[in-house]
Short mmCIF file of all heavy atoms in Angstrom, two decimals:
data_model
loop_
_atom_site.label_atom_id
_atom_site.label_comp_id
_atom_site.label_asym_id
_atom_site.label_seq_id
_atom_site.Cartn_x
_atom_site.Cartn_y
_atom_site.Cartn_z
N SER A 1052 28.13 28.88 -42.41
CA SER A 1052 28.63 27.59 -42.81
C SER A 1052 29.65 27.68 -44.00
O SER A 1052 30.71 27.09 -44.00
CB SER A 1052 27.52 26.60 -43.09
OG SER A 1052 26.77 26.36 -41.97
N THR A 1053 29.21 28.47 -44.94
CA THR A 1053 30.10 28.73 -46.13
C THR A 1053 31.42 29.22 -45.70
O THR A 1053 32.44 28.79 -46.14
CB THR A 1053 29.42 29.70 -47.09
OG1 THR A 1053 28.12 29.30 -47.36
CG2 THR A 1053 30.21 29.80 -48.39
N LEU A 1054 31.41 30.15 -44.72
CA LEU A 1054 32.65 30.79 -44.30
C LEU A 1054 33.50 29.80 -43.55
O LEU A 1054 34.67 29.61 -43.85
CB LEU A 1054 32.29 31.98 -43.42
CG LEU A 1054 31.71 33.23 -44.07
CD1 LEU A 1054 31.18 34.19 -43.06
CD2 LEU A 1054 32.82 33.92 -44.87
N HIS A 1055 32.91 29.11 -42.50
CA HIS A 1055 33.83 28.38 -41.67
C HIS A 1055 34.20 27.00 -42.23
O HIS A 1055 35.26 26.43 -41.94
CB HIS A 1055 33.42 28.27 -40.25
CG HIS A 1055 32.27 27.40 -40.03
ND1 HIS A 1055 30.98 27.79 -39.98
CD2 HIS A 1055 32.20 26.07 -39.78
CE1 HIS A 1055 30.15 26.79 -39.73
NE2 HIS A 1055 30.90 25.69 -39.64
N GLN A 1056 33.24 26.43 -43.01
CA GLN A 1056 33.61 25.12 -43.60
C GLN A 1056 34.82 25.33 -44.53
O GLN A 1056 35.73 24.48 -44.53
CB GLN A 1056 32.41 24.55 -44.44
CG GLN A 1056 31.21 24.18 -43.62
CD GLN A 1056 31.35 22.76 -42.93
OE1 GLN A 1056 32.37 22.10 -43.04
NE2 GLN A 1056 30.33 22.34 -42.21
N SER A 1057 34.83 26.41 -45.28
CA SER A 1057 35.95 26.64 -46.20
C SER A 1057 37.24 27.04 -45.42
O SER A 1057 38.25 26.65 -45.76
CB SER A 1057 35.57 27.69 -47.26
OG SER A 1057 35.12 28.87 -46.59
N SER A 1058 36.97 27.77 -44.37
CA SER A 1058 38.19 28.24 -43.58
C SER A 1058 38.91 27.08 -42.91
O SER A 1058 40.13 27.14 -42.74
CB SER A 1058 37.76 29.24 -42.50
OG SER A 1058 37.21 30.38 -43.06
N LEU A 1059 38.20 26.03 -42.57
CA LEU A 1059 38.86 24.90 -41.95
C LEU A 1059 39.85 24.27 -42.97
O LEU A 1059 40.93 23.81 -42.60
CB LEU A 1059 37.87 23.82 -41.55
CG LEU A 1059 37.10 24.13 -40.27
CD1 LEU A 1059 36.00 23.14 -39.97
CD2 LEU A 1059 38.01 24.22 -39.08
N GLY A 1060 39.49 24.33 -44.25
CA GLY A 1060 40.46 23.84 -45.27
C GLY A 1060 41.55 24.88 -45.50
O GLY A 1060 42.69 24.51 -45.61
N ALA A 1061 41.20 26.12 -45.44
CA ALA A 1061 42.15 27.21 -45.69
C ALA A 1061 43.24 27.22 -44.60
O ALA A 1061 44.35 27.75 -44.78
CB ALA A 1061 41.45 28.53 -45.74
N LEU A 1062 42.85 26.69 -43.39
CA LEU A 1062 43.90 26.62 -42.34
C LEU A 1062 45.15 25.95 -42.79
O LEU A 1062 46.27 26.35 -42.36
CB LEU A 1062 43.31 25.80 -41.12
CG LEU A 1062 42.34 26.49 -40.18
CD1 LEU A 1062 41.89 25.49 -39.11
CD2 LEU A 1062 42.96 27.68 -39.48
N PHE A 1063 45.05 24.98 -43.67
CA PHE A 1063 46.19 24.21 -44.13
C PHE A 1063 46.99 24.91 -45.23
O PHE A 1063 48.06 24.43 -45.58
CB PHE A 1063 45.76 22.79 -44.55
CG PHE A 1063 45.29 22.00 -43.37
CD1 PHE A 1063 43.94 21.98 -43.07
CD2 PHE A 1063 46.12 21.26 -42.57
CE1 PHE A 1063 43.49 21.28 -41.95
CE2 PHE A 1063 45.68 20.54 -41.51
CZ PHE A 1063 44.34 20.55 -41.17
N LEU A 1064 46.47 25.99 -45.72
CA LEU A 1064 47.22 26.76 -46.71
C LEU A 1064 48.52 27.31 -46.24
O LEU A 1064 49.46 27.63 -46.99
CB LEU A 1064 46.34 27.94 -47.29
CG LEU A 1064 45.15 27.49 -48.16
CD1 LEU A 1064 44.41 28.71 -48.56
CD2 LEU A 1064 45.62 26.76 -49.38
N ILE A 1065 48.59 27.45 -44.89
CA ILE A 1065 49.74 28.04 -44.25
C ILE A 1065 50.97 27.08 -44.23
O ILE A 1065 52.05 27.45 -43.96
CB ILE A 1065 49.40 28.53 -42.82
CG1 ILE A 1065 50.36 29.59 -42.38
CG2 ILE A 1065 49.38 27.39 -41.83
CD1 ILE A 1065 49.94 30.28 -41.08
N ALA A 1066 50.64 25.81 -44.53
CA ALA A 1066 51.66 24.76 -44.39
C ALA A 1066 51.94 23.99 -45.68
O ALA A 1066 51.84 22.76 -45.78
CB ALA A 1066 51.27 23.79 -43.32
N PRO A 1067 52.30 24.75 -46.79
CA PRO A 1067 52.54 24.03 -48.04
C PRO A 1067 53.69 23.05 -47.99
O PRO A 1067 53.70 22.07 -48.73
CB PRO A 1067 52.83 25.18 -49.01
CG PRO A 1067 53.25 26.31 -48.19
CD PRO A 1067 52.53 26.14 -46.89
#
Side-chain angles (χ1 to χ4, degrees):
Chain A
S1052 296
T1053 307
L1054 288 167
H1055 74 266
Q1056 293 281 2
S1057 55
S1058 295
L1059 284 174
L1062 282 177
F1063 293 91
L1064 289 177
I1065 203 171

